[in-house]
Amino acid sequence: MIILEDNHLGFDFPEIHAEARCAIDFQRTLRIPDDGRDYPLPPGLGSFPLRHLDDYAARLPESWRVRGGVIAPMHQAEAMWINFQSDYPFAVKVATGKICAITGDSWVDRLNRDPQDYVVLPEQPWLDGYCVEEGVVRQFVAMPLGEGYTVEEQLTGAGLHGGIQLVAYPMKAGHYEALRSERDGLRDHVIKMAEPELAPMPAMGLAPGGRMKQEIDDDPYGLDAWGQRHGSRCFITLLNSVQWMAVTGERPPTEPPTAQNYAALGLPWFDYYGGDARAVAGSEKLRGLKSVVQQAKGTGQAPPPDNESIVVPDVIPLGKPRTRPVRESMV
């Protein structure tokens, strides 16, 4: 069961275990410079608003209504990271345009171990981008479909889906109880509506941005630990700011500050070390993709503004509990 509450997606599996629940939200953040350097973790700037897609179905194309899920607004070239909150173990698959953000492979409705195509909660507290190397991701950056920027278009040659796809699989109850005992207390919804087809809406997808230091933890439990018969899946459709106002009647969030402004104020960045956990190697498919800036230069288009390199003034190490500070205001 998936519940939308306070801009968080709650995945709840009481049929598996009374504690089998996790929450996922999408954090607005600084778009880091795409200059070949590996930057630390930028802060969260508050959750993107999420709304049930079916509440606005009459204003949306049929192809969007069929897949259901939720909608969220993003400005072009705006960045985001995915925030995971869970005490109960989950395996979560993340895709953009139905391309796995960990391996670069096309979406399949199952977990794969070689290579690992999912993240493990609570070991993985967040995901900021596409896993391109061991310990390095390329930031999630919103770009319109049809211009060749998105991972989906670069790998498949077509922009059919856009958005973000999630599926969460809880750990089997028996494995969880054994794990909790060992650790001494281990701490789509889809609606189809027969409405008239509206004028096509250009969808938004995610493209690779600047490089960031972040490890994707290797699964320490193995495939047999996960209840793959009980997964819940959600499609997050991304709307640009104009579409969001037309569909919901709400003003979208203002554009976030630039990384340059944030650094000039001397505000902190972050680093997280996962202890002795092994990291996955990264995807050769994703490593070979062009970033937003590289794609713009290669096609003679203007790259996104505010891409100048910065000197990070302060990096704060993060440990347990796995929480990443969120700045709702720059003051």
Side-chain angles (χ1 to χ4, degrees):
M1 178 173 60
I2 302 177
I3 300 171
L4 175 58
E5 184 176 6
D6 193 25
N7 298 323
H8 288 63
L9 292 172
F11 293 79
D12 196 1
F13 298 86
E15 72 279 13
I16 295 293
H17 194 282
E19 299 176 17
R21 65 181 67 91
C22 69
I24 299 175
D25 68 297
F26 305 90
Q27 281 287 320
R28 309 181 70 223
T29 192
L30 311 173
R31 176 167 51 84
I32 63 174
D34 183 2
D35 58 4
R37 295 173 53 190
D38 295 348
Y39 283 89
L41 303 175
L45 300 175
S47 298
F48 282 98
L50 300 177
R51 303 290 181 265
H52 285 293
L53 185 147
D54 53 285
D55 289 343
Y56 305 94
R59 305 177 189 177
L60 298 173
E62 172 67 16
S63 59
W64 294 18
R65 298 197 296 258
V66 168
R67 66 196 186 195
V70 299
I71 55 176
M74 289 190 75
H75 295 278
Q76 181 168 318
E78 185 174 8
M80 63 161 291
W81 53 271
I82 303 174
N83 187 39
F84 303 113
Q85 301 174 52
S86 182
D87 292 324
Y88 193 95
F90 277 84
V92 177
K93 297 191 68 168
V94 178
T96 68
K98 294 194 175 181
I99 299 295
C100 178
I102 309 301
T103 66
D105 294 330
S106 297
W107 180 274
V108 291
D109 288 319
R110 64 178 183 278
L111 300 175
N112 290 298
R113 190 72 180 93
D114 186 22
Q116 179 178 314
D117 61 358
Y118 55 94
V119 298
V120 176
L121 280 53
E123 283 79 1
Q124 192 77 40
W126 38 72
L127 180 66
D128 286 68
Y130 301 98
C131 183
V132 297
E133 299 175 18
E134 182 176 339
V136 178
V137 301
R138 276 200 175 271
Q139 192 175 36
F140 293 130
V141 175
M143 294 297 288
L145 293 181
E147 299 184 10
Y149 286 96
T150 67
V151 165
E152 174 185 3
E153 291 170 282
Q154 292 194 53
L155 287 178
T156 70
L160 300 177
H161 307 290
I164 304 167
Q165 298 77 47
L166 299 174
V167 62
Y169 297 103
M171 178 174 277
K172 296 175 182 177
H175 282 74
Y176 176 65
E177 291 298 338
L179 181 64
R180 183 164 65 171
S181 176
E182 177 184 340
R183 294 185 177 180
D184 190 26
L186 170 68
R187 287 277 344 139
D188 284 286
H189 178 68
V190 175
I191 293 182
K192 299 182 179 180
M193 300 183 66
E195 296 285 348
E197 181 71 16
L198 302 183
M201 278 191 176
M204 294 281 284
L206 292 178
R211 292 168 58 95
M212 189 186 310
K213 300 174 184 176
Q214 185 173 80
E215 293 183 346
I216 309 302
D217 287 346
D218 188 63
D219 180 3
Y221 306 113
L223 284 179
D224 189 54
W226 309 111
Q228 294 194 54
R229 296 183 179 180
H230 298 273
S232 285
R233 181 175 175 179
C234 186
F235 198 115
I236 299 89
T237 297
L238 302 178
L239 282 66
N240 64 35
S241 55
V242 174
Q243 293 169 338
W244 180 262
M245 287 191 67
V247 170
T248 68
E250 303 176 24
R251 290 187 176 275
T254 57
E255 293 193 50
T258 66
Q260 291 74 18
N261 290 340
Y262 185 86
L265 291 173
L267 297 171
W269 298 61
F270 305 95
D271 192 12
Y272 173 71
Y273 175 61
D276 296 328
R278 293 193 307 167
V280 301
S283 166
E284 291 187 10
K285 289 183 180 180
L286 297 173
R287 190 179 310 145
L289 298 181
K290 292 182 179 179
S291 69
V292 170
V293 168
Q294 292 168 339
Q295 181 75 3
K297 290 180 177 178
T299 56
Q301 302 180 60
D306 304 308
N307 192 55
E308 298 82 7
S309 299
I310 59 175
V311 176
V312 176
D314 189 17
V315 179
I316 297 176
L318 299 175
K320 296 181 178 180
R322 298 177 178 87
T323 55
R324 187 160 159 190
V326 173
R327 299 188 65 90
E328 298 284 357
S329 171
M330 291 284 288
V331 296

